[in-house]
Amino acid sequence: MNIQVYGSAARAGVAAAQVLAAQIIKDPFSVLGLATGSTPLPAYEALVELNKAGIIDFKTIRTFNLDEYVGISRTHEQSYHSFMHTHLFSKVNIDPQNTQLPYPSSDDPEEDCRAYDAAIDDAGGIDLQILGIGHNGHIAFNEPSDLFTYGTHIVELSKSTIEANKRFFDSADDVPQKAITMGIGTIMKAREIVLIATGQDKAQAVASMILGEIDPQCPASALLLHPQVTIFLDEDAASLLQ
Ligand code: F6R
């Protein structure tokens, strides 16, 4: 695990974006795994600028997002479909047909989950996966649990996650209680992983991930077993690592 600490959240985001940009330049047919939330926004802004400057081209890039709420429509303003459209897809020259987010659209959600993993496999697997981390150590919506999860699945969101995400809704009661998420196994199959964590409120989760045991109660700790992970931190998120 390679750990890099930057002076600000913006600089950590730009550094992570440079890894994504290098992947896009190296392989214009790359398959990227994408995250939502506040953390990757500086990285997405940097990618938009690099695209505008003609340095990176999204024309043949394919993307799979980590997760989506269950119980709100794709067009809901807080859906992750809307998030990705607003912050990245509408601002770069990506083909919308090449962007996928999980969504339980049939009357057999388990089949929808299997189909999502199959679509990732059919695309050749994820070359580079970008992640944030929750206060409770979740990655994607894999919440602390007794066992690591494997494939894409439907999950009940924890109180901590609902509390953290209520800032995007009118109240905690309006936050969906369920989500569809790639499993830890899906994430671990990515050939390379970039995790960004910024802010003092992420310091404990980062310390548990890096300094603790490999434990499904801290789902991000599974990354200690991945051969190609880089963690981009600002000084606040790194503050408990000494
Ligand atoms: C989002 C996701 C989540 C977030 C995490 C941190 O697609 O998978 O695991 O990365 O909840 O969220 P922020 O960045 O808003 O603090």
Side-chain angles (χ1 to χ4, degrees), residues 51-66:
N51 183 239
K52 272 194 198 141
I55 296 168
I56 56 172
D57 187 354
F58 280 86
K59 202 169 54 203
T60 50
I61 294 295
R62 286 164 298 167
T63 66
F64 289 89
N65 264 77
L66 287 168

Side-chain angles (χ1 to χ4, degrees), residues 34-41 44 65-69 80 83-84 129-143 161 164-165 167-168 181 187 195-198 201-202:
L34 300 179
T36 59
S38 307
T39 309
L41 288 176
Y44 291 160
N65 264 77
L66 287 168
D67 43 16
E68 176 58 286
Y69 291 117
Y80 288 171
F83 177 100
M84 290 310 301
Q129 174 67 57
I130 185 161
L131 296 174
I133 184 170
H135 297 131
N136 59 6
H138 74 216
I139 47 175
F141 275 137
N142 293 281
E143 301 284 28
T161 300
N165 289 7
R167 68 192 193 280
F168 300 115
T181 178
I187 293 168
L195 183 144
I196 313 170
T198 53
D201 59 318
K202 296 293 174 68

Side-chain angles (χ1 to χ4, degrees), residues 176-239:
Q177 313 260 317
K178 288 187 180 183
I180 179 167
T181 178
M182 282 187 199
I184 295 292
T186 324
I187 293 168
M188 292 291 281
K189 284 203 285 185
R191 286 182 268 282
E192 182 174 354
I193 296 177
V194 159
L195 183 144
I196 313 170
T198 53
Q200 190 64 47
D201 59 318
K202 296 293 174 68
Q204 186 56 60
V206 167
S208 303
M209 163 177 68
I210 295 172
L211 304 177
E213 303 286 312
I214 297 169
D215 180 351
Q217 293 298 336
C218 177
S221 65
L223 299 178
L224 290 168
L225 294 173
H226 193 284
Q228 193 66 42
V229 183
T230 309
I231 312 283
F232 291 87
L233 304 173
D234 67 359
E235 284 167 3
D236 287 338
S239 59

Side-chain angles (χ1 to χ4, degrees), residues 69 78 159-175:
Y69 291 117
Q78 292 305 337
K159 277 208 171 72
S160 148
T161 300
I162 290 175
E163 201 48 38
N165 289 7
K166 74 177 185 194
R167 68 192 193 280
F168 300 115
F169 293 83
D170 290 339
S171 74
D173 289 342
D174 296 307
V175 182

